[in-house]
Amino acid sequence: MINLSEWALNHRSLVAYIMIVAVIAGVLSYFRLGRSEDPTFIIKTMVVQAAWPGATVEETLKQVTERLERKLQETPHLDFLRSFTRAGVTTIFVNLKGSANAKEVLDTWYQVRKNVGDIRHTLPAGIVGPGFNDDFGDTFGIIYGFTSDGFTHRELRDRVEEIRSKLLLVPDVSKIELLGAQDERIFVEFSMKELASLGIDRSALIAALQAQNIVRPAGTIETGYESLSLRVSGAFASEQDIANTNFVAGGRVLRLSDIARVRRDYSDPPQPQFRINGEPAIGLAIAMRDGGDILALGANIKQLMARITADLPVGIEPKLIADQAVTVEGAISEFMTSLLQAIAIILVVSFISLGVRPGLIIALSIPLTLAIVFPIMKMAGIDMQRISLGALIIALALLVDDAMTTTDATLNRLAAGDDKVEAATYAFRTYALAMLAGTLVTIAGFVPVGFAASSAGEYTFSLFAVVAIALIVSWFVAVIFAPLLGVIILKPPRAAATRDPGRIFRWYRNFLTFAMRAKWLTIFVSLALFVASFLALPLIPRQFFPSSDRPELLVDLSLPQNASIYASETAAQRLDAALKGDPDVARWSTYVGRGAIRFYLPLNVQLPNNFFSQAVIVAKDVAARERLRLKLEKILSDEFPSAISRVYPLELGPPVGWPVQYRVSGPDTGQVREIALKLAQIVATNPKAEKVNFDWIEPARQVRIRVDQDEARLLGLSSQALASVLNTVTSGTSVTQVRDDIYLVDVIARATDEQRVSLATLRTVQVPLPGGRTVPLSQFATFEYGQEYPLIWRRDRVPTLTVQADIVAGALPETLVSSLSPDVEALTKTLPTGYQVVVGGTVEESKKSQASVIAVVPVMLLIMLTVLMVQLRSFQRLFLVLSVAPLGLIGVVAALLLSGRPLGFVAILGILALLGMITKNAVILIGQIEAERSQGKNAWEAAIDASSSRFRPIMLTAVSTVLGMIPIAPTVFWGPMAFAIMGGLLVATILTLIFLPTLYVTWFKGTESPEASSKPV
């Protein structure tokens, strides 16, 4: 193998040039790297919706939902289907497996469209759709809201549409959604009694409106010089044109305004609304293209909005509701501070332990390594975000290892009398392959992070990528650049310094000798500690991902599922009133009739539903957020007793929703409901559970009109004609459209208010008969009340009712589910065949994610074993190296228990990575022992001398790694991983330097020489 260190010293000018270019490229790449809050991961969910106006829940379920779900179950990479069905509307969530990659997801969505298109002809007549939404995962990181004083909603919308058009031209903007805009309608309201008295046929009136407003070509005249298009007038341009429409009835010409009230208004009932600080508003939600720089996008939009605001009339005020750019800027600034702190800590350790000149080599190696890492990140498409920045800090603590080993070896050879070139190339000859093997083993420890086939694995992929890049680069820096820097900077140590081994070193050598003499005691104590730590594992609380440390607080308000959007609006206004003037609130926005738009990638987005509202409250800081949370919990329990409410911070990791969930499924909805009620009682008895609720359970009232078909036939009526009349009277029928600027305004024909909203007047509604006569509805129909479910959830075509609950402060979902497990299992055993209870929520997602990681562990072990076998070429030495790795669990358990941190998904990733770090030290130490034995020493002396020579670099690396993680240890996301690695590596390093040599001499039956045994320890 070519000695790269020797090559570098023989081509110094070229290597120096490469170093300069690397630094320049690194600086440029750093400023060009994309910035975002979280790593992009695909929300592998598509929403398929279809409407069948007029159908009941049962009819929609059997004729639409069932047909679509049967076809959708043929979808490749399908994980599960989840759907909810309302009367006349079906919504199906197609969820793919976590193992599906980006290309497979896109191909699958195409396949879904094609498959549903193939069965379109089999769906009932009158179906609207199906429609597809595969942009469910788009994140709208910047949201502006616009309020107005003295302007109509239409005037405000015109301004907002103009602003939207300008913002779409900003670089990196991919799409902009309008929030809270209410479409205009032109209502033609008439009295059924008056129409009947005048002998006017309602259907003829509607047909006249449609015929006049239709768009049809009138032909083209071609002359010898030009082409002339013919245009026929009569199209409606305003509500006045509709009011002035004439038609013939009973031999008379009547104007529409004589028999009906024509007015322009907004959607009735309203569409989902958007409110800012309690005021009605229209919002603009801006999404960034993939790979864009959110900081640059935020700056460009802010600059453009400043110019736009200056031109807005007084009374229209834009407000910044969500600004991911500010969040990302703060997060990057915080992480860069942590990175600089970690660098400073490592440099201090290096300067104190190695001295100024050797410490300077480490100081130069760190920025040089990072300078090479940044361009590679740019080429690999890895942005600066939460995971990659944390990975840089973790990698920073690891990448100094090789540079320290090289520098320490060079110092030792200089002290032994070698010249600078010989000393600088010695490390490559002796340690290069061992360092490379150790580097590959460490990277292998992160393989489960990079290749876990789940959303959580995709979310944390850049942890593996950045650490792998940094470690490989650090090896090349250590063997190419560090020797050149060593030749330039290092000087031979003074003789006095070489003679004095130091107090710590002497203490270590004496203690190692004692441990090796008491080898069985050393081995027993080590194994006993390992067994104790393994038994203590259940004492560590489990957690999937922690809550975010952002100041936002989400408030969900779910009214009974038959509630109107007016009821949700009233509830939202009461919540707004409670928030006004609160000193802990910076601002808030409220979404009525829908959930918040995805302004944060891991947000659990709720689709539009009249009964649901969600408020996004930005507290002044995290402490204020917690105070506000307690206040809102009390307000909601006292003042909103009929609502299912939840107050919670933003979540990290893949979205989950309610932390505790149990799915009850089975063929009969009534039986499912009974089981769910029993299960809810079990959950409610646990003091750690609160707000136990269901995603659907209560039936709602409905009015059933029983038509005497015989009487109706005698009168010349059909059910179709009757339904059409009633729809016109109550909800209204869209008869035509007015083309107004960029808008299409529906013209709705309906009865007057007093005839529409009263059940009493519904009985006396005059139904037109053929021939111009009318009869009251009560003459051939009776009214009765019934009940049906407002909506029904299904999972994989089986009715599924989810029991949901929140947890009290300080509790964890995993702990609660574990405590409920015996009672839930007892209930499950009593269930009839075909019914089941399955744990969902955080616990299920955590198990899925951990299973995806564990599935890759065999690959990790195979890589590790292969690399180790190539390096060691001995099963015995392989066993010795692997014996140390599990002992890191001792420090992991101790650190997590003492710090109170949970064992979550990120901590598990840290433990797996720790295996590689521990193994790397063991490989190099075993290699050094073998090198000492090759010089003629026996196993005992070789173990003592090798451990002594590796003591300083191994301890320096461990101390640097542990101290380098201090800046991220207090953070919510990285804290558990940091503590796991810090505790595990510290204990494992000590055991590597004590337990491994002891095990080595025990295995190879090394004995102490008589001269050495006579020396005191």
Side-chain angles (χ1 to χ4, degrees), residues 770-844:
R773 295 185 306 109
T774 63
V775 294
L777 180 60
S778 58
Q779 183 172 327
F780 58 90
T782 57
F783 295 79
E784 61 184 38
Y785 288 102
Q787 284 190 329
E788 70 173 358
Y789 293 107
L791 60 83
I792 294 177
W793 280 96
R794 307 207 316 174
R795 186 182 176 98
D796 291 332
R797 297 176 47 221
V798 179
T800 303
L801 201 161
T802 304
V803 179
Q804 307 170 141
D806 211 340
I807 50 175
V808 298
L812 293 174
E814 289 82 352
T815 308
L816 174 59
V817 170
S818 296
S819 62
L820 291 172
S821 181
D823 292 334
V824 174
E825 287 179 3
L827 174 64
T828 304
K829 291 176 181 176
T830 66
L831 299 183
T833 304
Y835 294 85
Q836 61 177 345
V837 175
V838 179
V839 178
T842 303
V843 175
E844 181 183 42

Coordinates of all heavy atoms in Angstrom, one line a residue, residues 770-844:
P770 N -97.1 18.8 -12.2 CA -97.3 19.0 -13.7 C -98.6 19.7 -13.9 O -99.6 19.4 -13.3 CB -97.2 17.6 -14.2 CG -96.5 16.8 -13.2 CD -96.9 17.4 -11.9
G771 N -98.6 20.7 -14.8 CA -99.8 21.4 -15.1 C -99.9 22.8 -14.4 O -100.9 23.5 -14.6
G772 N -99.0 23.1 -13.5 CA -98.9 24.4 -12.9 C -99.5 24.4 -11.5 O -99.4 25.5 -10.8
R773 N -100.2 23.4 -11.0 CA -100.7 23.4 -9.7 C -99.6 23.1 -8.7 O -98.5 22.6 -9.0 CB -101.8 22.3 -9.5 CG -103.0 22.6 -10.4 CD -104.2 21.7 -10.1 NE -103.8 20.3 -10.3 CZ -103.6 19.4 -9.3 NH1 -103.9 19.8 -8.0 NH2 -103.3 18.2 -9.5
T774 N -99.9 23.3 -7.4 CA -99.0 23.0 -6.3 C -99.7 22.3 -5.1 O -101.0 22.6 -5.0 CB -98.3 24.3 -5.7 OG1 -99.3 25.1 -5.2 CG2 -97.5 25.0 -6.8
V775 N -99.0 21.5 -4.3 CA -99.6 20.9 -3.2 C -98.6 21.0 -2.0 O -97.4 21.1 -2.3 CB -99.9 19.4 -3.4 CG1 -101.0 19.3 -4.4 CG2 -98.7 18.7 -3.8
P776 N -99.1 21.1 -0.8 CA -98.1 21.1 0.4 C -97.4 19.8 0.5 O -98.0 18.7 0.2 CB -99.0 21.5 1.6 CG -100.3 21.1 1.2 CD -100.5 21.3 -0.3
L777 N -96.2 19.8 1.0 CA -95.4 18.6 1.1 C -96.1 17.6 2.1 O -96.1 16.4 1.8 CB -94.0 18.9 1.6 CG -93.0 17.8 1.9 CD1 -92.8 17.0 0.6 CD2 -91.7 18.3 2.4
S778 N -96.8 18.1 3.1 CA -97.4 17.2 4.1 C -98.5 16.4 3.5 O -99.0 15.5 4.2 CB -97.9 18.1 5.3 OG -98.8 19.0 4.8
Q779 N -99.0 16.8 2.3 CA -100.2 16.0 1.8 C -99.8 14.6 1.4 O -100.6 13.7 1.4 CB -100.7 16.8 0.6 CG -101.9 16.1 -0.1 CD -102.6 17.0 -1.1 OE1 -102.5 18.2 -1.0 NE2 -103.1 16.4 -2.2
F780 N -98.5 14.4 1.0 CA -98.1 13.1 0.6 C -96.8 12.6 1.2 O -96.2 11.6 0.8 CB -97.9 13.0 -1.0 CG -96.9 14.0 -1.5 CD1 -95.6 13.7 -1.6 CD2 -97.3 15.3 -1.8 CE1 -94.6 14.6 -2.0 CE2 -96.3 16.2 -2.2 CZ -95.0 15.8 -2.4
A781 N -96.4 13.2 2.3 CA -95.2 12.8 3.0 C -95.3 13.0 4.5 O -96.0 14.0 5.0 CB -94.0 13.6 2.5
T782 N -94.7 12.2 5.3 CA -94.7 12.3 6.8 C -93.2 12.5 7.2 O -92.3 12.1 6.5 CB -95.2 11.1 7.5 OG1 -94.5 9.9 7.0 CG2 -96.7 10.9 7.1
F783 N -93.1 13.1 8.4 CA -91.7 13.5 8.9 C -91.5 12.7 10.2 O -92.3 12.5 11.1 CB -91.7 15.0 9.2 CG -91.8 15.9 8.0 CD1 -93.0 16.1 7.4 CD2 -90.6 16.4 7.4 CE1 -93.1 16.9 6.3 CE2 -90.7 17.2 6.3 CZ -92.0 17.5 5.7
E784 N -90.3 12.2 10.3 CA -89.8 11.5 11.6 C -88.3 11.7 11.8 O -87.6 12.0 10.8 CB -90.2 10.0 11.5 CG -89.4 9.3 10.4 CD -89.9 7.8 10.3 OE1 -91.1 7.5 10.5 OE2 -89.0 7.0 10.0
Y785 N -87.9 11.6 13.0 CA -86.5 11.7 13.4 C -85.9 10.4 13.4 O -86.5 9.4 13.9 CB -86.3 12.5 14.7 CG -86.7 13.9 14.6 CD1 -87.9 14.4 15.2 CD2 -85.8 14.8 14.1 CE1 -88.2 15.8 15.1 CE2 -86.1 16.2 14.0 CZ -87.3 16.7 14.5 OH -87.6 18.0 14.5
G786 N -84.6 10.3 13.0 CA -83.8 9.1 13.1 C -82.4 9.4 13.5 O -82.1 10.6 13.8
Q787 N -81.6 8.4 13.5 CA -80.2 8.6 13.9 C -79.3 7.9 12.9 O -79.6 6.8 12.4 CB -79.9 8.1 15.3 CG -80.4 9.0 16.4 CD -79.9 8.6 17.8 OE1 -79.7 7.4 18.0 NE2 -79.7 9.6 18.7
E788 N -78.1 8.5 12.6 CA -77.1 7.8 11.9 C -75.7 8.4 12.3 O -75.7 9.5 12.8 CB -77.3 7.9 10.4 CG -77.0 9.3 9.8 CD -77.1 9.3 8.3 OE1 -77.3 8.3 7.7 OE2 -77.0 10.4 7.7
Y789 N -74.7 7.7 12.1 CA -73.3 8.2 12.4 C -73.0 9.3 11.4 O -73.1 9.2 10.2 CB -72.3 7.1 12.3 CG -72.5 6.1 13.4 CD1 -72.9 4.8 13.1 CD2 -72.2 6.3 14.7 CE1 -73.1 3.8 14.1 CE2 -72.3 5.4 15.7 CZ -72.8 4.1 15.4 OH -73.0 3.2 16.3
P790 N -72.5 10.5 12.0 CA -72.1 11.6 11.0 C -71.0 11.2 10.1 O -70.9 11.6 9.0 CB -71.7 12.7 12.0 CG -72.2 12.3 13.3 CD -72.4 10.9 13.4
L791 N -70.1 10.3 10.7 CA -69.0 9.8 9.9 C -68.5 8.5 10.4 O -68.8 8.2 11.6 CB -67.8 10.8 9.7 CG -67.1 11.2 11.0 CD1 -66.0 10.2 11.4 CD2 -66.4 12.6 10.7
I792 N -67.9 7.7 9.6 CA -67.4 6.4 10.0 C -66.0 6.2 9.5 O -65.7 6.4 8.3 CB -68.3 5.2 9.5 CG1 -69.7 5.2 10.1 CG2 -67.6 3.8 9.8 CD1 -70.6 4.2 9.6
W793 N -65.1 5.9 10.4 CA -63.7 5.6 10.1 C -63.5 4.2 9.8 O -64.1 3.3 10.4 CB -62.7 6.0 11.2 CG -62.4 7.5 11.3 CD1 -63.0 8.4 12.1 CD2 -61.4 8.2 10.5 NE1 -62.5 9.7 11.9 CE2 -61.5 9.6 10.9 CE3 -60.5 7.8 9.6 CZ2 -60.6 10.5 10.4 CZ3 -59.6 8.8 9.0 CH2 -59.7 10.1 9.4
R794 N -62.7 3.9 8.8 CA -62.3 2.5 8.5 C -60.8 2.4 8.3 O -60.2 3.3 7.9 CB -63.0 2.0 7.2 CG -64.5 2.2 7.2 CD -65.3 1.2 6.4 NE -64.8 0.9 5.1 CZ -65.2 0.0 4.2 NH1 -66.3 -0.7 4.6 NH2 -64.7 -0.2 3.0
R795 N -60.3 1.2 8.5 CA -58.9 0.9 8.3 C -58.8 -0.4 7.6 O -59.3 -1.4 8.1 CB -58.1 0.9 9.6 CG -56.6 0.7 9.4 CD -55.9 0.6 10.8 NE -54.5 0.4 10.7 CZ -53.6 1.3 10.8 NH1 -53.9 2.6 10.9 NH2 -52.3 1.0 10.7
D796 N -58.2 -0.4 6.4 CA -58.2 -1.6 5.5 C -59.5 -2.2 5.4 O -59.7 -3.4 5.6 CB -57.2 -2.6 6.1 CG -55.7 -2.1 6.0 OD1 -55.5 -1.3 5.0 OD2 -54.9 -2.5 6.8
R797 N -60.5 -1.3 5.1 CA -61.9 -1.7 4.8 C -62.7 -2.3 5.9 O -63.8 -2.8 5.8 CB -61.9 -2.7 3.6 CG -61.4 -2.2 2.3 CD -61.3 -3.2 1.2 NE -62.5 -4.0 1.1 CZ -62.5 -5.3 0.9 NH1 -61.4 -6.0 0.8 NH2 -63.7 -5.9 0.8
V798 N -62.2 -2.2 7.1 CA -62.9 -2.7 8.3 C -63.2 -1.5 9.2 O -62.4 -0.6 9.5 CB -62.0 -3.7 9.1 CG1 -62.8 -4.2 10.4 CG2 -61.6 -4.8 8.2
P799 N -64.5 -1.3 9.7 CA -64.8 -0.2 10.6 C -63.9 -0.2 11.8 O -63.7 -1.2 12.4 CB -66.3 -0.5 11.0 CG -66.8 -1.3 9.8 CD -65.7 -2.2 9.3
T800 N -63.3 0.9 12.0 CA -62.3 1.0 13.1 C -62.6 2.3 13.9 O -62.6 3.4 13.4 CB -60.9 1.1 12.5 OG1 -60.7 0.0 11.7 CG2 -59.8 1.2 13.6
L801 N -62.7 2.1 15.2 CA -63.0 3.2 16.1 C -61.8 3.3 17.0 O -61.3 2.4 17.7 CB -64.2 2.9 17.0 CG -65.0 4.1 17.6 CD1 -66.4 3.7 18.0 CD2 -64.2 4.6 18.8
T802 N -61.2 4.5 17.1 CA -60.0 4.8 17.8 C -60.3 5.4 19.2 O -60.9 6.5 19.2 CB -59.0 5.6 17.0 OG1 -58.7 5.0 15.8 CG2 -57.7 5.8 17.8
V803 N -59.8 4.8 20.2 CA -59.9 5.4 21.6 C -58.6 6.2 21.7 O -57.5 5.6 21.6 CB -60.0 4.3 22.7 CG1 -60.1 4.9 24.0 CG2 -61.2 3.4 22.4
Q804 N -58.8 7.5 22.0 CA -57.6 8.4 22.1 C -57.5 9.0 23.5 O -58.5 9.2 24.1 CB -57.7 9.5 21.0 CG -58.0 9.0 19.6 CD -58.4 10.0 18.6 OE1 -57.9 10.0 17.5 NE2 -59.2 11.0 19.1
A805 N -56.3 9.3 23.9 CA -56.1 9.9 25.2 C -54.8 10.7 25.2 O -53.9 10.5 24.4 CB -56.1 8.9 26.3
D806 N -54.8 11.7 26.0 CA -53.6 12.5 26.2 C -52.9 12.0 27.5 O -53.5 11.2 28.2 CB -53.9 14.0 26.3 CG -52.8 14.9 25.8 OD1 -51.6 14.4 25.8 OD2 -53.0 16.1 25.5
I807 N -51.8 12.5 27.8 CA -51.1 12.1 29.1 C -50.9 13.3 29.9 O -50.7 14.4 29.5 CB -49.7 11.4 28.7 CG1 -48.9 12.3 27.8 CG2 -50.0 10.0 28.2 CD1 -47.5 11.7 27.5
V808 N -50.8 13.1 31.2 CA -50.6 14.2 32.2 C -49.1 14.6 32.0 O -48.3 13.9 31.5 CB -50.8 13.7 33.6 CG1 -52.3 13.3 33.8 CG2 -49.9 12.6 34.0
A809 N -48.9 15.8 32.5 CA -47.5 16.4 32.4 C -46.5 15.5 33.1 O -46.7 15.0 34.2 CB -47.5 17.8 33.0
G810 N -45.4 15.2 32.4 CA -44.3 14.4 33.0 C -44.4 13.0 32.7 O -43.4 12.2 32.9
A811 N -45.6 12.5 32.2 CA -45.7 11.1 31.9 C -45.3 10.9 30.4 O -45.2 11.8 29.6 CB -47.2 10.6 32.1
L812 N -45.1 9.6 30.1 CA -44.7 9.2 28.7 C -45.7 8.2 28.2 O -46.1 7.3 28.9 CB -43.3 8.7 28.7 CG -42.2 9.7 29.0 CD1 -40.8 8.9 29.0 CD2 -42.1 10.8 27.9
P813 N -46.1 8.3 26.9 CA -47.0 7.3 26.4 C -46.6 5.9 26.5 O -47.5 5.0 26.8 CB -47.1 7.7 24.9 CG -46.6 9.1 24.8 CD -45.6 9.2 25.9
E814 N -45.3 5.6 26.3 CA -44.9 4.2 26.4 C -45.1 3.6 27.8 O -45.5 2.5 28.0 CB -43.4 4.1 26.1 CG -43.1 4.3 24.6 CD -43.0 5.8 24.2 OE1 -43.3 6.6 25.1 OE2 -42.6 6.1 23.1
T815 N -44.9 4.5 28.8 CA -45.1 4.0 30.2 C -46.5 3.8 30.5 O -46.9 2.8 31.1 CB -44.6 5.1 31.2 OG1 -43.2 5.4 30.8 CG2 -44.6 4.6 32.6
L816 N -47.4 4.6 30.0 CA -48.9 4.5 30.2 C -49.4 3.2 29.5 O -50.1 2.4 30.1 CB -49.6 5.7 29.7 CG -51.1 5.7 29.7 CD1 -51.7 5.5 31.1 CD2 -51.7 6.9 29.1
V817 N -49.0 3.0 28.3 CA -49.4 1.8 27.6 C -48.9 0.6 28.2 O -49.7 -0.4 28.3 CB -49.0 1.9 26.1 CG1 -49.2 0.6 25.4 CG2 -49.7 3.0 25.4
S818 N -47.7 0.6 28.8 CA -47.2 -0.6 29.5 C -48.0 -0.9 30.7 O -48.3 -2.1 31.0 CB -45.8 -0.4 29.8 OG -44.9 -0.2 28.7
S819 N -48.4 0.1 31.4 CA -49.2 -0.1 32.7 C -50.6 -0.6 32.3 O -51.3 -1.3 33.1 CB -49.2 1.2 33.5 OG -49.9 2.2 32.8
L820 N -51.2 -0.2 31.2 CA -52.5 -0.6 30.8 C -52.5 -2.0 30.1 O -53.6 -2.6 30.0 CB -53.1 0.4 29.8 CG -53.5 1.8 30.3 CD1 -53.9 2.7 29.2 CD2 -54.6 1.7 31.3
S821 N -51.4 -2.5 29.7 CA -51.3 -3.7 28.9 C -52.0 -4.9 29.5 O -52.8 -5.6 28.8 CB -49.8 -4.0 28.7 OG -49.7 -5.2 27.9
P822 N -51.9 -5.2 30.8 CA -52.6 -6.4 31.4 C -54.1 -6.3 31.2 O -54.8 -7.3 30.8 CB -52.2 -6.4 32.8 CG -50.9 -5.6 32.9 CD -51.0 -4.6 31.9
D823 N -54.7 -5.1 31.5 CA -56.2 -5.0 31.4 C -56.6 -5.0 30.0 O -57.7 -5.6 29.7 CB -56.6 -3.7 32.1 CG -56.4 -3.7 33.6 OD1 -56.4 -4.8 34.2 OD2 -56.2 -2.6 34.2
V824 N -55.8 -4.4 29.1 CA -56.2 -4.4 27.7 C -56.2 -5.8 27.1 O -57.0 -6.3 26.3 CB -55.3 -3.5 26.9 CG1 -55.6 -3.6 25.4 CG2 -55.5 -2.0 27.3
E825 N -55.1 -6.6 27.5 CA -55.0 -8.0 27.0 C -56.2 -8.8 27.6 O -56.7 -9.7 26.8 CB -53.7 -8.6 27.5 CG -52.5 -8.0 26.7 CD -51.2 -8.6 27.2 OE1 -51.2 -9.5 28.1 OE2 -50.1 -8.2 26.7
A826 N -56.6 -8.5 28.8 CA -57.7 -9.3 29.4 C -59.0 -9.0 28.6 O -59.8 -9.9 28.3 CB -57.9 -8.9 30.8
L827 N -59.2 -7.7 28.2 CA -60.4 -7.4 27.4 C -60.3 -8.1 26.0 O -61.3 -8.6 25.5 CB -60.5 -5.9 27.2 CG -61.5 -5.3 26.3 CD1 -62.9 -5.7 26.8 CD2 -61.4 -3.8 26.1
T828 N -59.1 -8.1 25.4 CA -58.9 -8.6 24.1 C -59.3 -10.1 24.0 O -59.9 -10.6 23.0 CB -57.5 -8.4 23.6 OG1 -57.1 -7.1 23.7 CG2 -57.3 -8.9 22.2
K829 N -59.0 -10.8 25.1 CA -59.3 -12.3 25.2 C -60.8 -12.5 25.1 O -61.3 -13.6 24.8 CB -58.7 -12.9 26.4 CG -57.2 -12.9 26.3 CD -56.6 -13.5 27.6 CE -55.1 -13.5 27.6 NZ -54.5 -14.0 28.9
T830 N -61.6 -11.5 25.5 CA -63.1 -11.7 25.6 C -63.8 -11.3 24.3 O -65.0 -11.5 24.1 CB -63.7 -10.9 26.7 OG1 -63.5 -9.5 26.4 CG2 -63.0 -11.2 28.0
L831 N -63.0 -10.8 23.3 CA -63.6 -10.3 22.1 C -64.1 -11.4 21.2 O -63.4 -12.5 21.1 CB -62.6 -9.4 21.3 CG -62.1 -8.2 22.0 CD1 -61.2 -7.4 21.1 CD2 -63.3 -7.3 22.5
P832 N -65.2 -11.2 20.5 CA -65.7 -12.2 19.5 C -64.7 -12.3 18.3 O -63.8 -11.5 18.1 CB -67.0 -11.7 19.0 CG -67.4 -10.6 20.0 CD -66.1 -10.1 20.5
T833 N -64.8 -13.4 17.6 CA -63.9 -13.6 16.4 C -64.1 -12.5 15.4 O -65.3 -12.1 15.1 CB -64.2 -15.0 15.8 OG1 -64.1 -16.0 16.7 CG2 -63.3 -15.2 14.6
G834 N -63.1 -12.0 14.9 CA -63.2 -10.9 13.9 C -63.0 -9.5 14.4 O -62.9 -8.5 13.7
Y835 N -62.9 -9.4 15.8 CA -62.7 -8.1 16.4 C -61.4 -8.1 17.1 O -60.9 -9.1 17.6 CB -63.8 -7.8 17.5 CG -65.2 -7.7 16.8 CD1 -66.0 -8.9 16.6 CD2 -65.7 -6.5 16.5 CE1 -67.2 -8.8 16.0 CE2 -67.0 -6.4 15.9 CZ -67.7 -7.5 15.7 OH -68.9 -7.4 15.1
Q836 N -60.7 -6.9 17.1 CA -59.4 -6.8 17.7 C -59.1 -5.4 18.2 O -59.8 -4.4 17.8 CB -58.3 -7.2 16.7 CG -58.3 -6.3 15.5 CD -57.1 -6.7 14.5 OE1 -56.2 -7.4 14.9 NE2 -57.2 -6.2 13.3
V837 N -58.2 -5.4 19.2 CA -57.7 -4.1 19.7 C -56.2 -4.0 19.4 O -55.5 -4.9 19.8 CB -58.0 -4.0 21.2 CG1 -57.4 -2.7 21.8 CG2 -59.5 -4.0 21.5
V838 N -55.8 -2.9 18.8 CA -54.4 -2.7 18.4 C -53.9 -1.4 19.0 O -54.6 -0.4 18.9 CB -54.3 -2.7 16.9 CG1 -52.8 -2.5 16.5 CG2 -54.8 -4.0 16.3
V839 N -52.7 -1.4 19.5 CA -52.1 -0.2 20.0 C -51.7 0.7 18.9 O -51.0 0.2 17.9 CB -50.9 -0.5 21.0 CG1 -50.3 0.8 21.4 CG2 -51.4 -1.4 22.1
G840 N -52.0 1.9 18.9 CA -51.6 2.9 17.8 C -50.8 4.0 18.4 O -50.2 3.9 19.5
G841 N -50.8 5.2 17.8 CA -50.2 6.4 18.3 C -48.7 6.3 18.4 O -48.0 5.7 17.6
T842 N -48.2 7.0 19.4 CA -46.7 7.1 19.6 C -46.1 5.7 19.8 O -45.0 5.5 19.2 CB -46.4 7.9 20.8 OG1 -47.1 9.2 20.7 CG2 -44.9 8.2 21.0
V843 N -46.7 4.8 20.5 CA -46.1 3.5 20.8 C -45.9 2.7 19.5 O -44.9 2.1 19.2 CB -46.9 2.7 21.8 CG1 -46.4 1.3 22.0 CG2 -47.0 3.5 23.1
E844 N -47.0 2.7 18.7 CA -46.9 2.0 17.4 C -45.9 2.6 16.5 O -45.1 1.8 15.9 CB -48.3 2.0 16.7 CG -48.3 1.3 15.4 CD -49.7 1.4 14.7 OE1 -50.2 2.5 14.7 OE2 -50.1 0.4 14.2

